[in-house]
């Protein structure tokens, strides 16, 4: 029996809609997201913030409950129940779907959302929390809304006015604690979520009240932070899914995630894995999340060779970056894309089963690579040079082999 047939029978048994036959998405019916910049969204892929009465809701003025009950969320839910019209904020899912990729809305089907929740969404079953934009890194693909360490650089180079956001206000904390008995999962993102005392206090609250036994945790971390106390908290939950944000290896990793030390991150990952692994049987289940960009795609064969040796069997999920557009692999010149396709097809070996149900496949990556958007590759080169000058770094040295491939397109002055 094929995977598709298994999914179909499971949908029929659970009385869940079939994502292949409908545009339906469950996310607006069971979760709400608090962004690092202090706004709210239905999901992390959504390309618009939640509004009410035409005004964008913010954590300093409006609660997460206000966002959940907003007219925006109600209209979004009705659009899915009625089969349209499509919300513009969902456009990235529709774009990926049109390309033949498995869009993120498919993931919403894996949360076992009962029809009673769809018909009467009184409170969420899941929250995704970006407690603040406090972070210890300045990742190249990031921005000041998600890392406070980016603020001076963005202000200097782009006159971007941003400030530090603390979104788990006392009001929001009380609301989330009231919702905790109804939760099946809490997502913790950032900033760096393990730097947030409010996040750790929430985990302690769930453990102290006994609700951790029916709640799973989904955590995206840059891998720079480890402590025995964090592990002890994790082990009190039904399940903890840790996604390590690892985009490259060695010096190239440190360039892309400025402030991190590669050897320390690898050791921290191994420390967490002493208490778990990468299977359904592990309470702490780990996965590597790789953001695919114009900086790292050339080096995927080397990347997988390292992962196969040090973390055999651990899935690598590919986050296909489309914003900032300068880092999207869609803007690469066609001649360069063809060289990358050859490397992806012939030189990547993995120690885990790469399927669409578990992660994206090589074919998915090539599908995305094949797409073309109306943006110039020169934008990438200009952005790299501008930040190299500010940070006193040198992309051409750190990525010397890749630079030899793309340097012919370097006709842009900073």
């Amino acid at each position: 029996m094929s995977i598709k047939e298994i999914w179909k029978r499971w949908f029929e048994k659970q009385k869940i809609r079939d994502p292949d036959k409908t545009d339906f998405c469950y996310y607006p019916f069971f979760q709400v997201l608090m962004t690092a910049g202090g706004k709210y969204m239905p999901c992390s892929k959504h390309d618009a913030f939640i509004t009410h009465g035409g005004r964008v809701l913010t954590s300093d003025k409006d609660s997460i409950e206000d966002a959940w009950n907003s007219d925006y969320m109600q209209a979004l839910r009705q659009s899915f129940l009625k089969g349209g019209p499509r919300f513009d904020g969902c456009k990235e899912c529709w774009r990926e779907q049109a390309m033949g990729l498995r869009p993120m809305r498919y993931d919403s089907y894996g949360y076992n959302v009962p029809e009673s929740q769809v018909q009467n969404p009184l409170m969420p079953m899941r929250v995704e929390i970006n407690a603040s934009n406090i972070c210890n890194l300045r990742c190249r693909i990031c921005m000041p809304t998600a890392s406070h360490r980016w603020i001076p650089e963005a202000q200097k180079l782009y006159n971007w006015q941003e400030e530090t956001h603390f979104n788990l206000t006392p009001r929001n904390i009380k609301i989330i604690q009231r919702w905790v008995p109804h939760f099946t999962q809490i997502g913790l993102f950032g900033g760096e979520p393990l730097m947030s005392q409010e996040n750790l206090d929430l985990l302690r609250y769930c453990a102290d009240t006994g609700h951790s036994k029916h709640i799973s945790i989904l955590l995206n971390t840059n891998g720079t932070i480890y402590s025995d106390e964090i592990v002890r908290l994790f082990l009190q939950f039904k399940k903890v899914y840790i996604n390590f944000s690892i985009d490259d290896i060695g010096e190239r990793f440190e360039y892309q995630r400025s402030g991190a030390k590669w050897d320390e991150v690898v050791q921290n990952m191994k420390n967490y894995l002493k208490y778990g692994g990468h299977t359904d049987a592990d309470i702490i289940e780990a996965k590597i999340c790789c953001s695919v960009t114009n900086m790292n795609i050339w080096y995927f064969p080397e990347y997988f060779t390292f992962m196969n040796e040090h973390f055999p069997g651990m899935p690598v999920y590919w986050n296909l970056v489309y914003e900032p557009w300068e880092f999207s692999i869609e803007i690469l010149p066609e001649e360069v894309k063809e060289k990358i396709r050859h490397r992806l097809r012939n030189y990547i070996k993995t120690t885990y089963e790469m399927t669409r149900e578990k992660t994206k496949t090589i074919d998915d990556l090539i599908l995305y690579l094949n797409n073309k958007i109306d943006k110039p590759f020169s934008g990438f080169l200009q952005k790299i040079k501008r930040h190299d000058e500010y940070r006193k770094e040198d992309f051409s040295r750190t990525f010397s082999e890749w630079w030899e491939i793309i340097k012919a397109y370097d006709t842009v002055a900073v």
Side-chain angles (χ1 to χ4, degrees), residues 34-67:
M34 177 187 298
T35 75
K39 299 179 178 68
Y40 302 101
M41 294 165 60
C43 76
S44 60
K45 201 82 167 183
H46 206 72
D47 196 33
F49 298 118
I50 292 175
T51 61
H52 186 75
R55 180 179 64 83
V56 173
L57 302 184
T58 59
S59 61
D60 59 337
K61 297 178 182 177
D62 312 284
S63 73
I64 193 169
E65 190 168 34
D66 293 333

Side-chain angles (χ1 to χ4, degrees), residues 188-205:
L188 300 177
F189 299 84
E192 168 50 46
L194 295 180
M195 290 183 67
S196 167
Q197 188 61 48
E198 292 82 3
N199 279 342
L200 297 180
D201 286 344
L202 177 58
L203 296 181
R204 294 185 188 104
Y205 176 85

Side-chain angles (χ1 to χ4, degrees), residues 308-324:
N308 294 340
E309 178 181 352
H310 293 271
F311 302 100
M314 189 185 298
V316 176
Y317 176 81
W318 291 336
N319 174 35
L320 303 175
V321 172
Y322 65 97
E323 288 291 344

Side-chain angles (χ1 to χ4, degrees), residues 244-248 257 288-293 296 300 303 316-321:
F244 294 107
S245 298
I246 309 294
D247 305 330
D248 215 318
R257 295 192 173 267
I288 297 168
C289 184
C290 175
S291 293
V292 181
T293 70
N296 62 358
F300 276 4
Y303 178 87
V316 176
Y317 176 81
W318 291 336
N319 174 35
L320 303 175
V321 172

Side-chain angles (χ1 to χ4, degrees), residues 223-240:
T224 61
I225 295 174
Y226 172 86
S227 78
D228 292 337
E229 183 199 6
I230 290 172
V231 169
R232 285 194 295 269
L233 279 172
F234 283 171
L235 293 175
Q236 296 183 65
F237 283 81
K238 179 181 179 180
K239 184 84 171 181
V240 176

Side-chain angles (χ1 to χ4, degrees), residues 330-381:
E330 298 167 294
I331 70 170
L332 284 165
E334 178 55 35
E335 297 86 352
V336 176
K337 286 183 177 181
E338 186 52 40
K339 293 178 181 179
I340 293 171
R341 292 185 196 105
H342 178 76
R343 282 174 67 81
L344 295 177
R345 290 187 176 116
N346 295 285
Y347 298 111
I348 289 183
K349 308 296 181 185
T350 68
T351 55
Y352 67 91
E353 183 184 2
M354 190 183 292
T355 65
R356 282 189 170 185
E357 285 67 33
K358 292 184 177 181
T359 180
K360 288 182 173 65
T361 67
I362 297 291
D363 288 339
D364 288 328
L365 185 54
I366 291 175
L367 263 178
Y368 194 73
L369 180 68
N370 290 346
N371 196 51
K372 177 69 177 176
I373 59 175
D374 189 22
K375 299 289 185 180
F377 182 55
S378 59
F380 166 71
L381 298 169

